[in-house]
Amino acid sequence: MSSAFENLSRPKPPKRIGFLFEKAFSKESLYQAFIQARKGKRKKVECFEFESRLGSEIDDLYESLHNGTYQPQPLRTFEVFEPKRRVIHAPYFRDLVVQHAVYKVIYPIFNRGFIDQNYACRKGGGTHKASDYAQRAMRKYSGDLYYAKLDIKKFFYSIGHAVLRELIERKIKDKRFISVMLSFLGSDKVGIPIGNLLSQVYALLVLNPLDHFAKRVLKIKHYVRYMDDFVAIGLTLEQAKRFKTACEQFVNERLKLRLSHWTINKLKRGLNFVGYRTWRSIKFVRKHSVTKFKRLCKRLKIESITSLLGHAAHSASIVFFTHYLQSHGLLQLLHKRTLTLCLAILRTHQPKRNLQPCALATPARMN
């Protein structure tokens, strides 16, 4: 395995793509980027002011990009506390337009090299697709076989700019374009800002070598990743331990990252992945989501309740959630589409069959 590891760590450079600067930063491309950037933001003052002087704003962006004076403004910072405390960095609207112009060009270039089982921040991906794949894979094996679930310690904050640049330069040779791409990272040598559009692509790109290592070198048949959480399914105990050791070595040496939490357990004990507690025959949302749902119901946070119902609809927990809303007289507050879903659930499942996901065992962890 060591020789294969070395070959994958320093693979033969592919043909690189050039002339992306002109493609991304023409006036027409910047205008199309503005159209994308304003989606969902038309009521924001920043977007309105940019659009009110659209011609001059596009001209100014074009000139600053082409004469080399463009620099993003310092990111605005705020905290979110769900599902855990994180610092979010939001770009100004003008810089968001440039990010969309870059994204439109680089996404198809990098996406071609991603494996199908990488479901994060990709068209046709998402947590539901990742969870469904994991459950289908679990059903292919005996419950006495194992899975290994690993994640990266402080992933976004630990990504080295040198590692990222190397991965970008393996695909792109346009230095001016790369300079603009990396201008959104800030002056530090480590870490990428959470909340930037381009950070999503960079996160996909950084762990792409790990995906190919797992599939091509370790020969893991059923492997799935969402952001920095990745799982190998259907292994013997010895194979699961070797998978963990090999991945730890790879992310340390090749990507300059470290593993954080990891779990090796039998499939019949269940898998905690992308917000769901999954067994081969059934799936529930995590206990944290149930607690949060009850809290939101007490506060009558209808929009947030609707969002959690959408998450629970992909699991058996939707039955409990719907009966809870009915018993607390909250169904009539829901939007029409969500109410229709809940009424259909009630017609199928009688209250006596109410499922209490909190009472079920949480997938155990062996560290």
Side-chain angles (χ1 to χ4, degrees):
M1 187 180 74
S2 60
S3 61
F5 178 86
E6 290 297 329
N7 289 337
L8 190 63
S9 295
R10 292 293 181 268
K12 182 180 179 180
K15 184 177 180 180
R16 300 192 298 160
I17 301 173
F19 303 106
L20 295 181
F21 188 93
E22 292 77 8
K23 181 178 180 180
F25 302 134
S26 68
K27 290 185 179 181
E28 176 60 27
S29 295
L30 289 171
Y31 174 74
Q32 293 300 326
F34 157 72
I35 298 298
Q36 291 298 315
R38 76 175 180 179
K39 290 182 178 179
K41 295 182 172 60
R42 301 195 73 168
K43 294 183 179 180
K44 293 185 178 293
V45 173
E46 221 183 334
C47 177
F48 174 79
E49 291 178 346
F50 189 97
E51 188 168 11
S52 66
R53 49 179 189 271
L54 181 59
S56 62
E57 289 283 5
I58 295 295
D59 286 342
D60 287 346
L61 274 179
Y62 179 87
E63 290 298 326
S64 63
L65 285 162
H66 282 261
N67 64 26
T69 61
Y70 172 78
Q71 283 296 326
Q73 294 177 270
L75 297 167
R76 292 169 293 190
T77 302
F78 59 94
E79 290 185 336
V80 297
F81 298 91
E82 292 291 347
K84 60 183 179 182
R85 181 181 176 275
R86 292 185 298 177
V87 178
I88 304 298
H89 299 85
Y92 284 86
F93 186 80
R94 183 173 185 268
D95 298 321
L96 183 60
V97 172
V98 178
Q99 289 199 34
H100 272 280
V102 173
Y103 180 88
K104 184 178 180 180
V105 170
I106 67 172
Y107 179 81
I109 294 173
F110 293 132
N111 189 58
R112 290 193 293 267
F114 299 151
I115 67 171
D116 292 340
Q117 295 76 31
N118 174 1
Y119 288 100
C121 305
R122 297 178 67 191
K123 297 170 185 176
T127 56
H128 301 148
K129 294 286 183 66
S131 178
D132 289 345
Y133 176 88
Q135 188 173 49
R136 289 197 305 271
M138 292 172 73
R139 288 170 176 167
K140 295 178 184 292
Y141 298 100
S142 161
D144 288 321
L145 285 177
Y146 289 78
Y147 67 84
K149 175 179 175 290
L150 300 83
D151 66 65
I152 306 296
K153 183 177 180 65
K154 297 183 178 180
F155 176 50
F156 278 86
Y157 305 110
S158 303
I159 293 175
H161 295 183
V163 172
L164 179 59
R165 176 183 282 274
E166 178 190 346
L167 292 169
I168 291 172
E169 289 179 343
R170 288 184 53 78
K171 289 284 189 180
I172 298 172
K173 63 181 178 181
D174 190 326
K175 292 184 178 180
R176 281 200 305 168
F177 184 72
I178 292 175
S179 178
V180 176
M181 286 180 64
L182 298 181
S183 67
F184 296 100
L185 298 181
S187 57
D188 295 334
K189 295 182 179 181
V190 177
I192 62 176
I194 299 175
N196 272 225
L197 174 66
L198 291 180
S199 294
Q200 299 175 8
V201 183
Y202 298 157
L204 287 169
L205 182 60
V206 166
L207 288 186
N208 188 48
L210 172 65
D211 296 338
H212 287 277
F213 176 66
K215 296 293 289 184
R216 292 163 50 194
V217 178
L218 301 182
K219 305 294 184 182
I220 303 299
K221 185 174 182 180
H222 289 102
Y223 167 93
V224 58
R225 179 167 70 84
Y226 187 88
M227 296 308 293
D228 62 320
D229 290 337
F230 51 104
V231 188
I233 297 170
L235 311 177
T236 66
L237 179 58
E238 194 59 38
Q239 287 172 334
K241 290 178 178 178
R242 287 202 302 266
F243 173 78
K244 183 261 179 184
T245 301
C247 288
E248 185 170 33
Q249 180 187 0
F250 187 87
V251 299
N252 287 346
E253 296 181 6
R254 175 72 174 92
L255 305 177
K256 312 304 179 188
L257 299 169
R258 290 190 296 162
L259 290 185
S260 178
H261 302 295
W262 59 273
T263 305
I264 294 176
N265 221 319
K266 289 187 175 182
L267 294 174
K268 65 183 179 183
R269 299 294 298 275
L271 168 65
N272 198 333
F273 180 55
V274 292
Y276 295 100
R277 295 175 293 150
T278 304
W279 287 261
R280 292 180 299 158
S281 59
I282 200 166
K283 184 192 307 182
F284 296 98
V285 299
R286 296 174 63 188
K287 291 184 179 181
H288 168 80
S289 296
V290 178
T291 302
K292 181 181 176 182
F293 177 78
K294 292 179 178 180
R295 186 169 65 245
L296 291 171
C297 288
K298 290 180 181 179
R299 299 176 182 176
L300 300 181
K301 300 285 188 178
I302 302 303
E303 295 299 329
S304 298
I305 290 171
T306 301
S307 177
L308 270 179
L309 284 171
H311 178 62
H314 294 262
S315 73
S317 296
I318 187 62
V319 179
F320 168 75
F321 278 21
T322 302
H323 287 183
Y324 188 90
L325 289 170
Q326 182 189 42
S327 65
H328 288 75
L330 300 177
L331 284 176
Q332 67 274 15
L333 300 179
L334 299 177
H335 301 303
K336 183 177 179 180
R337 185 175 177 179
T338 309
L339 177 60
T340 301
L341 168 67
C342 290
L343 292 177
I345 295 295
L346 289 173
R347 285 194 295 269
T348 306
H349 300 272
Q350 297 302 316
K352 291 182 180 180
R353 296 178 63 189
N354 185 5
L355 293 176
Q356 288 277 1
C358 285
L360 294 174
T362 299
R365 185 170 77 190
M366 181 192 304
N367 275 7

